Amino acid sequence: MCSDYNERRYWIRRIEQMRKEMEQAEEVKKKSGTATPAKPAEAETGVAEHQPVPA
């Protein structure tokens, strides 16, 4: 009976540890996702917008 109790305690601690590791990994993932710089403006492709011609 004592070994069952110790085994249960071990698995409870192990599951808690795994849960904490998963939460930390998610936090790192969220931080890395928000820390990416904004997409740079697109370079001009050589096609200029048409300007109205004065009459």
Side-chain angles (χ1 to χ4, degrees):
M1 176 150 176
C2 188
S3 65
D4 289 340
Y5 176 73
N6 288 334
E7 188 172 347
R8 254 187 206 186
R9 285 182 55 197
Y10 167 78
W11 284 110
I12 289 171
R13 279 186 260 132
R14 182 67 180 124
I15 290 169
E16 284 295 317
Q17 181 184 7
M18 288 170 42
R19 184 182 59 81
K20 287 178 183 178
E21 289 173 357
M22 288 176 64
E23 287 176 355
Q24 289 175 350
E26 287 178 11
E27 286 181 23
V28 168
K29 187 175 179 182
K30 285 180 184 178
K31 287 180 182 177
S32 68
T34 58
T36 55
K39 187 175 178 181
E42 291 184 24
E44 293 185 28
T45 58
V47 177
E49 291 184 30
H50 295 289
Q51 297 293 327
V53 179

